[in-house]
Amino acid sequence: MRVPLSWLRELVAVPGDLTGRDVAERLIRAGLEVETVDEIGVELAGPLVIGRVLAVAEEEHSNGKTIRWCRVDVGPEHNQPGAGPDAEASVEEQAPGRGIVCGARNFSVGDLVVVALPGATLPGGFAIEARKTYGHVSDGMICSTRELGTGDDHDGIWVLPDNAGTPGADAVSVLGLRDDVLDIAVTPDRGYCMSMRGIARESAIAFGLPFVDPASMPLPDATSDDWPVKVDDTVGCDRFVTRSVQSLDPRQVSPLWMQRKLQLSGMRPISLAVDITNFVMLELGQPLHAYDRSALAGSIVVRRAHVDESLKTLDGSKRSLDPQDLLITDDSGAIGVAGVMGGASTEINPATTDIVIEAAHFDPDSVSRSSRRHKLHSEASRRFARGVDVSLQEVAAERAASLLVELGGATLLPGRTVVDYAVEPTAILLDVELPSRLVGLDYTRDEVVSALQSCGCEVAGDDDAGDNTGDRTSGAATLVVTPPSWRPDLLIPADLVEEVARIHGYDAIPSLLPEAPAGGGLTDSQRLHRRVGMVLAGAGLVEVQSYPFLSPQVHDKLGLPDDDARRRALRIANPLSDEEPELRTSLLPGLLATLRRNIGRGFDDAALFETGLVFRPDTDSSRHPNQTERPGVERRPTDAELAELDALLPRQPRRVAVVLTGQREPSGWWGAGRAATWGDAVEAALLVAGAAGVDLEISSDEHAPWHPGRCAALRLDGELVGHAGELHPRVLADLGLPARTCAMELELDVIDKHASKSPTPAPHVSTYPVAKEDVSLLVADAVTAFEVAEALRVGGGDLIESVRLFDVFASEQLGAGNKSLAFSLRFRAPDRTLAPEEVAAARDAAVAEAHHRTGAVQRA
C-alpha cells in the first residue's frame, strides 16, 4: 500500500515539520511494516512550468522519423525567445513562446502540458538545455509522467486538465510533484490498512491525534431499491449494494488532484468513472465495480459457476471457470468473477452515460482461491483476500455516486439496493489482568480499556471502574469487548492482548533472556542419526536435503506395482506446486531428482545420501482429521485429546538413502578408476549398520525400482529394513539417469530400535601374529556369498577374525548352475601364536560348516 504523505495529512493533522521518514518510524513502532519511503520529486530542480501548446507542425525527415515542431506558451516570464546554440535563429523561432521539438503524438493545440525549461534537472540527473535538433532549436522539453518521476506512463506526454493552471505557473507546486510516499507491506491480518482510512487511523493512534473517520458521512434516504439483486450464495457474499447514476458527461476527465493521488498511490488514471472507483477504494478500502447500466440484462445474481462456463474478463482473456468460482451474473451469464475482475460485456466505455455501482462484501477465501486459480491478481482481490469492512458498502457506493455527480455532471437516481446477510461481530470476554500476565508489563485497567477503544473496539464494563485510581484490579475483572467491523482478525482474548501491547508500544516490552535449564544432552536416537551422517560422509558421500513433495507420476517412473503401498501418498490440501501435491513415501524420488540435477550441471561422478522422514498413511481410510474436533488454544489439550490427534497422523518413519553413479574411485597416475556398483550400495548399508552396532542379513530379492537380478534385501533379526543394489534400466531411462546407477534405502527407526544403547567397548588388539588361509568353494548360483561367508564365520569359531570375498568365477568347466567363490580367511588368537595344526583345523571346520549350510564344496 503506497501512502502519499500529503493525502495522509488531509485525514490526520500530522505535524508539518515531520518528514515521511519520521512518520514511517512512528508507524513501524505501531506494528506496520514500512518497507521504503520514496521521496518523490527530490531530484527536480530549476524552471519547471505549466505550458499551453500554441502550434504544432509535423515534419518528416530523411531518416524516416516524423517529429513535431511545437510553439508552447510558458508564461510572460519565460516566453522570451532564446537563441540557443544557434545565434542565427529564424524569425519563426523568435516568435512568442518557446520552440520545442517533440516526438509524442498524444497532444494537440490548446492542451496544457508540463515544460522543463533550460536549466532544469529531471530525475536521474537529466539536465535540460537548449539544443539544435532536426533543424530547429529545441528550447526545453515537454514531459511525460515517467520523465517527471510521477508514474510509469511513457507512451505519451502528460496532458493536464484545462483547469490545471495558467501558463508559466510553477508545475512543482501546482501539480504536487514533490511528496513523500510510504510503501507499506500490509500483512494478511491487517487488511484495513489497505486504505488511507486505515493508515490514517493508525497514524492518529501513533501520534495521539484525533481521528475523523472519512466513512462517517451521512447517507441520504433511498426511496426505493436500485438495480434488482439476488444472492444465491450467502456464504461467499453476505452483503451486496448497488447505487446508480445517469446522464454522466463522458467527456469529463478526472480533476488533477484525483489524478495526482492515484499516480502517487501507484495507479494510472484511466477515465473519470474508473478513476473515481479506484479513488474511493484507496480512500476507504472498499473495492467498487462500475457497470454500464445499458449493458446489464435482467437482475444481478451472485452464484457459483456452472460446469463448462466461461467469461471474457476486462483484460481481454477468455477464462474457463471453476465450479468453486463465485460469480456476478445477469440474464446473459457471467459478467464478473466476484472480488477479482469484471467482465468485458458490461465494461465502462468512453460513451457510457448511465452507471450501476457495485459495492459488496465477499468471502476472503473464495476471492483468494479464484485469484490464484486464474493467476489474476487485482487491487480488488488483494483487499478482499485480506478482509474488507463489512459495514462500508453503502458509504462507499454513496461516495462514488456523489463524486460522479459532482465531477461528471451525472444525476443521482433515487434508489439503493442493499442485500444484507452479514453477521454482527461476536463479543470477546477479556480478563483485565490477561494483558499484564502475557506481556509482562503492568497495564492498568484504564490503559487496557483506552488501548482497545482507540483501535475501534466497544468495551463494556467501564461504569464499574471503581475509584479510578489506576489500580488494574479496580472495577470489573472481566471486560466485554466487541471488535469493530473492520477488524475481523480479532477473535480471541489473545488478539486483544496483542492490540494492547501494540498500542502501548512493542519497544516498551523489556528484552529478557530466559534462563536455560541444564541440558540433558542428545538422545540415543539423535546420537545414532549423527553417527550415520558422519560415517557416510567419511566414506566420501555428500549429504543433501530435498523437498518432501512429489508428483503422483513419479510412482510410474519408478515402476512400482499398482498395489504397492508406496503409491498411497498423502495429498496436501494447499500444495506449493500443483505438479507436486503429495508427500513422499520414500526418500528415493527426491534424492534421484537431486542426482539428475547435479548430472545436468556436469557432475557425472556423484555419491549422495539423505536422512529424513517419509509419510506412510494408515490403511484405515475411515479416519480423517476433519472428523475430529480440534481443541482450542485457551488450555492445554488433555493426554486423551493429544493421543486422539496423534492417531490421525500418518506414520513418519525416519530413513536413510544413498545413490551412486559414475566413478566411485577416480583414475589418475596411480592407475585406473573403478565405477560404482551395486556392491557399493550394499556397503553403504553395512556402514550404517556398523554405526548402530548391529549386523544386517543380506539376501537376493526382487523389489522395484531395483534391478531384479542385482537387488539385495536387508534384514535385521528377520525383519525387512531396506533394499540396496542397482536400479532397473527402464527406471533409469525414464528418470534420465546414467546406466548402472545404484541406490540404497534403510529404515533408521528400526535399526535404532535394535541398536545397542550402551557404549561400544573398545576392541581387544592382539599382539600375536595373524594366520592367513584362502579357500575356493564351489556352490550353486542360487547361493549368495553372504550365506557362505556367514557359514565360514560360524565354523571358524573364536579363532576366525575376518572373512573377505575376493573372487567370483563361473565357467562351463564348473558345470551349469555353479559358481566359484574365493574367500580370504584370517585367524588369530588373543593369547598365543597359533600352531599350523590349529589353523588347519579351524579352516577345515569353517569349510565343513559352509558345506553343511550351503552345500559348498572346496575346490582343489
Side-chain angles (χ1 to χ4, degrees):
M1 174 69 186
R2 291 178 59 83
V3 180
L5 186 57
S6 59
W7 194 355
L8 183 62
R9 283 196 165 106
E10 295 177 11
L11 302 177
V12 179
V14 177
D17 59 338
L18 296 183
T19 65
R21 298 190 182 278
D22 297 329
V23 175
E25 183 180 350
R26 290 289 190 94
L27 292 179
I28 290 172
R29 291 175 59 190
L32 294 179
E33 298 181 18
V34 182
E35 294 189 328
T36 59
V37 177
D38 297 329
E39 297 175 335
I40 305 297
V42 71
E43 296 179 281
L44 293 175
L48 197 68
V49 299
I50 303 293
R52 186 178 296 278
V53 180
L54 300 177
V56 177
E58 294 191 0
E59 299 178 1
E60 185 172 349
H61 286 260
S62 57
N63 60 3
K65 183 173 182 179
T66 300
I67 61 99
R68 308 180 88 197
W69 167 241
C70 310
R71 301 299 300 178
V72 184
D73 177 11
V74 290
E77 181 181 352
H78 305 286
N79 273 339
Q80 304 92 328
D86 186 358
E88 299 179 356
S90 66
V91 175
E92 179 191 19
E93 291 173 338
Q94 296 184 18
R98 298 275 181 150
I100 299 176
V101 174
C102 185
R105 309 178 64 82
N106 69 314
F107 65 96
S108 57
V109 174
D111 285 344
L112 287 180
V113 293
V114 182
V115 180
L117 298 176
T121 302
L122 300 183
F126 183 49
I128 304 301
E129 58 184 16
R131 62 190 182 93
K132 189 167 185 178
T133 179
Y134 295 105
H136 298 280
V137 176
S138 186
D139 208 11
M141 187 175 80
I142 306 175
C143 303
S144 69
T145 57
R146 181 185 292 181
E147 289 162 343
L148 294 170
T150 63
D152 294 328
D153 190 359
H154 196 57
D155 295 335
I157 295 304
W158 185 8
V159 179
L160 306 177
D162 288 339
N163 59 356
T166 59
D170 180 29
V172 173
S173 59
V174 171
L175 304 179
L177 297 182
R178 287 198 183 97
D179 206 341
D180 287 351
V181 179
L182 285 64
D183 195 347
I184 301 176
V186 180
T187 53
D189 61 330
R190 305 286 286 277
Y192 67 98
C193 287
M194 293 287 287
S195 66
M196 294 302 303
R197 177 197 186 208
I199 299 298
R201 180 181 286 106
E202 291 299 318
S203 300
I205 296 173
F207 287 97
L209 298 170
F211 172 68
V212 179
D213 192 347
S216 60
M217 59 179 288
L219 290 174
D221 294 334
T223 58
S224 61
D225 284 345
D226 184 45
W227 199 269
V229 175
K230 179 184 179 184
V231 176
D232 288 345
D233 192 322
T234 58
V235 174
C237 175
D238 55 8
R239 210 149 192 268
F240 200 101
V241 174
T242 66
R243 196 75 163 103
S244 297
V245 298
Q246 65 181 8
S247 303
L248 174 72
D249 184 356
R251 297 168 299 177
Q252 294 292 336
V253 296
S254 303
L256 190 60
W257 62 265
M258 181 178 290
Q259 292 189 31
R260 191 70 187 124
K261 282 181 168 64
L262 293 175
Q263 289 170 344
L264 290 174
S265 301
M267 303 187 76
R268 182 170 58 90
I270 298 174
S271 66
L272 178 61
V274 176
D275 292 350
I276 286 175
T277 59
N278 287 335
F279 171 77
V280 173
M281 177 183 68
L282 293 173
E283 181 185 47
L284 302 180
Q286 170 65 50
L288 302 174
H289 188 70
Y291 299 97
D292 186 332
R293 187 180 177 95
S294 63
L296 288 173
S299 300
I300 291 177
V301 179
V302 184
R303 59 169 174 80
R304 297 290 173 174
H306 297 153
V307 177
D308 297 330
E309 197 168 8
S310 63
L311 169 68
K312 184 178 180 181
T313 49
L314 289 176
D315 59 358
S317 300
K318 186 175 182 180
R319 303 181 184 276
S320 298
L321 301 174
D322 187 273
Q324 292 301 313
D325 288 330
L326 187 67
L327 301 182
I328 311 299
T329 68
D330 64 4
D331 291 350
S332 67
I335 59 174
V337 180
V340 180
M341 186 173 285
S345 62
T346 56
E347 179 183 8
I348 298 292
N349 61 68
T352 298
T353 58
D354 300 343
I355 294 175
V356 176
I357 300 169
E358 167 209 302
H361 185 265
F362 300 115
D363 174 54
D365 291 341
S366 177
V367 173
S368 178
R369 291 188 181 113
S370 291
S371 178
R372 291 200 307 269
R373 186 180 296 120
H374 297 290
K375 297 180 175 59
L376 193 59
H377 303 284
S378 61
E379 291 293 333
S381 68
R382 291 186 183 95
R383 285 164 174 80
F384 279 122
R386 286 168 172 80
V388 170
D389 187 350
V390 73
S391 66
L392 200 59
Q393 289 69 43
E394 290 180 77
V395 173
E398 197 67 39
R399 172 74 164 141
S402 63
L403 287 173
L404 287 170
V405 172
E406 176 186 349
L407 303 177
T411 301
L412 186 65
L413 295 179
R416 182 192 304 123
T417 297
V418 179
V419 179
D420 190 1
Y421 296 97
V423 179
E424 292 294 326
T426 303
I428 304 170
L429 298 180
L430 175 67
D431 183 348
V432 75
E433 296 184 1
L434 185 62
S436 298
R437 290 202 305 269
L438 293 185
V439 178
L441 291 178
D442 194 21
Y443 297 113
T444 67
R445 181 182 186 281
D446 288 345
E447 287 174 335
V448 172
V449 172
S450 175
L452 295 176
Q453 289 177 335
S454 67
C455 66
C457 295
E458 295 181 5
V459 184
D462 291 354
D463 294 337
D464 300 325
D467 58 6
N468 202 23
T469 59
D471 181 1
R472 64 184 170 88
T473 62
S474 64
T478 300
L479 300 176
V480 181
V481 183
T482 304
S485 56
W486 61 83
R487 294 299 302 272
D489 59 304
L490 301 181
L491 301 173
I492 59 176
D495 297 331
L496 302 178
V497 172
E498 183 180 0
E499 288 301 296
V500 173
R502 184 177 69 85
I503 298 300
H504 286 284
Y506 291 133
D507 54 346
I509 303 174
S511 298
L512 299 176
L513 290 176
E515 295 183 2
L522 299 176
T523 64
D524 292 332
S525 296
Q526 290 171 332
R527 289 193 184 94
L528 174 60
H529 298 160
R530 293 194 178 189
R531 283 201 307 272
V532 167
M534 288 187 291
V535 165
L536 292 176
L541 283 82
V542 177
E543 184 174 14
V544 299
Q545 293 291 329
S546 55
Y547 286 114
F549 315 118
L550 54 82
S551 166
Q553 287 73 35
V554 77
H555 303 308
D556 297 327
K557 293 183 178 181
L558 292 177
L560 303 185
D562 293 340
D563 58 349
D564 196 298
R566 287 170 290 178
R567 283 186 176 270
R568 189 171 182 272
L570 280 176
R571 193 173 187 88
I572 305 170
N574 188 22
L576 293 178
S577 169
D578 292 336
E579 296 178 357
E580 295 180 328
E582 295 183 349
L583 288 173
R584 66 188 179 191
T585 56
S586 167
L587 295 181
L588 288 182
L591 200 52
L592 292 172
T594 302
L595 178 65
R596 182 175 61 252
R597 203 157 41 243
N598 280 271
I599 291 173
R601 285 161 174 75
F603 296 96
D604 298 326
D605 304 325
L608 310 177
F609 80 94
E610 179 179 5
T611 60
L613 303 179
V614 298
F615 305 87
R616 306 301 293 269
D618 195 288
T619 55
D620 182 6
S621 60
S622 62
R623 298 188 302 173
H624 195 278
N626 293 338
Q627 297 174 353
T628 301
E629 184 177 354
R630 301 181 185 181
V633 297
E634 67 278 358
R635 61 174 178 82
R636 185 186 186 279
T638 65
D639 292 342
E641 289 172 333
L642 290 174
E644 184 178 3
L645 292 173
D646 286 341
L648 297 174
L649 298 175
R651 289 191 306 109
Q652 301 177 48
R654 184 175 295 275
R655 292 187 173 187
V656 58
V658 167
V659 293
L660 309 105
T661 193
Q663 295 290 305
R664 188 72 180 100
E665 296 175 2
S667 58
W669 58 265
W670 52 84
R674 180 180 67 82
T677 68
W678 62 267
D680 295 295
V682 174
E683 179 62 23
L686 295 177
L687 287 174
V688 173
V694 298
D695 294 323
L696 289 179
E697 303 161 8
I698 303 173
S699 60
S700 61
D701 197 3
E702 293 187 10
H703 186 73
W706 282 272
H707 192 299
R710 296 167 189 164
C711 173
L714 310 172
R715 289 182 170 82
L716 184 58
D717 291 344
E719 182 179 359
L720 182 66
V721 293
H723 290 84
E726 183 181 310
L727 295 176
H728 198 289
R730 189 183 305 110
V731 171
L732 297 177
D734 289 343
L735 294 176
L737 293 172
R740 312 307 289 268
T741 295
C742 304
M744 178 276 291
E745 186 171 20
L746 271 177
E747 291 270 7
L748 265 184
D749 284 351
V750 178
I751 292 178
D752 183 25
K753 184 174 61 176
H754 291 79
S756 173
K757 305 306 181 198
S758 58
T760 303
H764 174 73
V765 179
S766 175
T767 59
Y768 294 93
V770 65
K772 301 177 182 179
E773 291 284 340
D774 293 342
V775 296
S776 180
L777 303 177
L778 183 67
V779 297
D781 283 340
V783 177
T784 65
F786 177 80
E787 294 172 319
V788 178
E790 284 297 300
L792 292 172
R793 285 192 185 91
V794 173
D798 296 335
L799 296 181
I800 195 161
E801 186 177 78
S802 68
V803 177
R804 183 175 65 87
L805 175 71
F806 67 87
D807 185 55
V808 179
F809 174 72
S811 73
E812 296 180 356
Q813 298 176 353
L814 298 178
N818 293 327
K819 62 184 176 183
S820 173
L821 302 178
F823 293 90
S824 175
L825 310 181
R826 292 168 61 95
F827 299 93
R828 194 194 313 255
D831 55 355
R832 67 187 186 282
T833 300
L834 291 175
E837 305 84 46
E838 292 180 288
V839 174
R843 179 200 62 204
D844 294 341
V847 172
E849 184 66 21
H851 175 72
H852 172 69
R853 290 193 176 195
T854 67
V857 177
Q858 186 171 8
R859 298 178 62 203

